[in-house]
Amino acid sequence: ILGALSDRGGRRLPFLLAFTALCVGPTLLIAASGPVIGVLLFVLANFAYQSALIYYDASIKLVSTPATRGRLSGIGTGVGYCGTIFVGLLIFFLDVPVEARFVLAGVLYGLFAIPIFVLVREPRAVTGARLGMGDFVRSWDQLRLTIRHAREVPGLPRFLLGRFFYTDAVNTIIVVMSVVSVRAVGLSPTLTNLVLLALTVVAILMSFVWGHLTDRIGPRRTLLIVLGSWAVGLVLGSFSLALNTTDPTTGDPTPTTIGLGLFLVAGAILGSGLGGVQVADRVFMLRLSPPERVGEFFGVYGLVGKASQVLGQMLYGVTLVVFLDALGIGAYQLAILSLIVTMLVGVWLVWPVSDRWAGSGELRGAASGPLEAP
């Protein structure tokens, strides 16, 4: 709905500015509020942040050409991970208390958002019109129209469904990585944070590699390579847990040299893939979006990615609840392996989708047609 509104207005940056401000304001107030108000403010800030991503992803067309989409997507992803490292080190060295981290997040988000509004110029589209109340009312019927529009693009419904399944594994690993490191590997919370920061560096460096590869061989092939590496990483990560030992007195896991080494290798593979998925599938989505519906389709793109978090984390959690008492650390192995299933379903769905659809205007001389994997 929000993406389609920006298509009608012909511009994205005003929406990006509004939702950025709507995220920063409540974030600054969370720590000073009580639990109930704090949760409500967090929900509002998170909604605004996720909405802002629709317009941020779609604005890649403003700062790149079809030949440089992958490179710019890689740079954007890499710089984003630099922000993760920056704020992590800031919290670590300044010993920022939990309450102050909300204020820190809000201030940094606001400051680092300024350049896009100062430096990026967005021409008003010829078809753009001033939005009125009627546009907002009609937008609630947008979902039905978007489904119809998506069916008109060769392979788009299949790509979006595939994205639901492969981002399910990606989003779940992001959430549970630190828990697995502490509970299943036996690392201390401090060492876990250092490992995660190191893996973020890997994600930054590989984002540039994936971006270059996306421009060179196309987003579809790059995405499939990334997902294949993720499947390998998940298998290695699960296997590494079996190589660790358990303290007979406390029952806590104790990492062995080979087990920890293999776990770090798996983490490096997964870390490199984090940037790769974001780089490739953002450009892939652009290849499947008509110019007049970029905002609308990126809205669905974002919705699919966020909805997948529910399935993945539920599958992971249920696996642990059912098998933890009986299998111990083996339950974590099973939970990780369950994510491979959703990953492979996503690969199967995306495999036949072509990234060479002429209707997007991203390619010259590309023929529009049915599903056709190059």
Side-chain angles (χ1 to χ4, degrees):
I1 293 171
L2 293 173
L5 278 174
S6 72
D7 289 335
R8 288 178 184 153
R11 301 185 69 195
R12 322 254 180 244
L13 293 187
F15 288 87
L16 180 59
L17 176 61
F19 282 106
T20 297
L22 187 60
C23 178
V24 171
T27 301
L28 294 172
L29 300 175
I30 290 175
S33 308
V36 175
I37 300 299
V39 168
L40 293 176
L41 288 171
F42 173 78
V43 170
L44 178 60
N46 193 38
F47 164 75
Y49 168 68
Q50 305 297 348
S51 300
L53 285 179
I54 297 171
Y55 311 109
Y56 175 79
D57 285 337
S59 68
I60 189 175
K61 293 193 73 171
L62 299 176
V63 295
S64 64
T65 65
T68 62
R69 300 284 193 235
R71 195 180 319 155
L72 266 293
S73 184
I75 292 173
T77 301
V79 170
Y81 282 121
C82 286
T84 301
I85 292 179
F86 175 76
V87 73
L89 293 176
L90 205 60
I91 291 172
F92 180 77
F93 286 112
L94 298 182
D95 194 23
V96 180
V98 173
E99 296 81 0
R101 294 175 192 177
F102 291 101
V103 178
L104 179 65
V107 170
L108 291 179
Y109 187 12
L111 285 177
F112 286 114
I114 291 174
I116 192 173
F117 303 112
V118 174
L119 301 176
V120 177
R121 293 290 178 265
E122 180 184 37
R124 180 178 291 276
V126 176
T127 58
R130 184 179 296 275
L131 294 175
M133 186 58 65
D135 293 294
F136 287 91
V137 173
R138 286 191 297 272
S139 289
W140 289 102
D141 195 36
Q142 185 62 46
L143 183 58
R144 177 180 58 82
L145 293 174
T146 297
I147 293 174
R148 190 184 74 190
H149 292 160
R151 287 175 176 172
E152 297 171 358
V153 178
L156 180 57
R158 192 175 180 110
F159 168 75
L160 290 172
L161 185 60
R163 184 173 196 267
F164 175 87
F165 282 100
Y166 67 70
T167 56
D168 163 78
V170 174
N171 290 327
T172 303
I173 285 295
I174 291 173
V175 172
V176 306
M177 186 71 171
S178 60
V179 177
V180 172
S181 298
V182 174
R183 299 286 183 90
V185 179
L187 301 180
S188 67
T190 300
L191 187 56
T192 293
N193 288 333
L194 293 176
V195 169
L196 293 179
L197 281 176
L199 297 183
T200 305
V201 173
V202 175
I204 293 172
L205 297 176
M206 287 302 298
S207 292
F208 300 109
V209 175
W210 295 124
H212 174 75
L213 198 61
T214 296
D215 287 333
R216 187 174 179 83
I217 67 174
R220 173 189 168 274
R221 290 176 179 172
T222 303
L223 180 61
L224 291 175
I225 291 172
V226 173
L227 296 180
S229 72
W230 257 70
V232 172
L234 288 173
V235 171
L236 290 179
S238 176
F239 181 68
S240 71
L241 300 184
L243 300 177
N244 295 324
T245 59
T246 303
D247 189 311
T249 304
T250 63
D252 295 331
T254 303
T256 62
T257 302
I258 187 172
L260 179 58
L262 193 58
F263 179 77
L264 294 178
V265 170
I269 294 174
L270 296 176
S272 72
L274 284 178
V277 170
Q278 296 179 51
V279 170
D281 80 346
R282 179 161 50 190
V283 179
F284 203 161
M285 185 69 226
L286 201 58
R287 290 276 185 95
L288 296 173
S289 300
E292 69 277 8
R293 295 198 179 110
V294 170
E296 176 185 354
F297 285 172
F298 265 102
V300 182
Y301 167 91
L303 180 63
V304 167
K306 300 309 173 186
S308 69
Q309 294 184 12
V310 178
L311 175 64
Q313 293 174 43
M314 183 180 298
L315 181 62
Y316 173 87
V318 168
T319 303
L320 288 185
V321 167
V322 173
F323 295 103
L324 187 60
D325 289 340
L327 301 179
I329 293 178
Y332 287 95
Q333 292 179 269
L334 191 60
I336 293 173
L337 289 175
S338 70
L339 299 177
I340 297 180
V341 176
T342 60
M343 175 77 70
L344 293 179
V345 170
V347 170
W348 174 74
L349 287 167
V350 171
W351 190 277
V353 180
S354 173
D355 58 3
R356 303 185 62 81
W357 183 59
S360 66
E362 292 290 295
L363 298 170
R364 294 181 180 178
S368 173
L371 294 181
E372 177 187 330

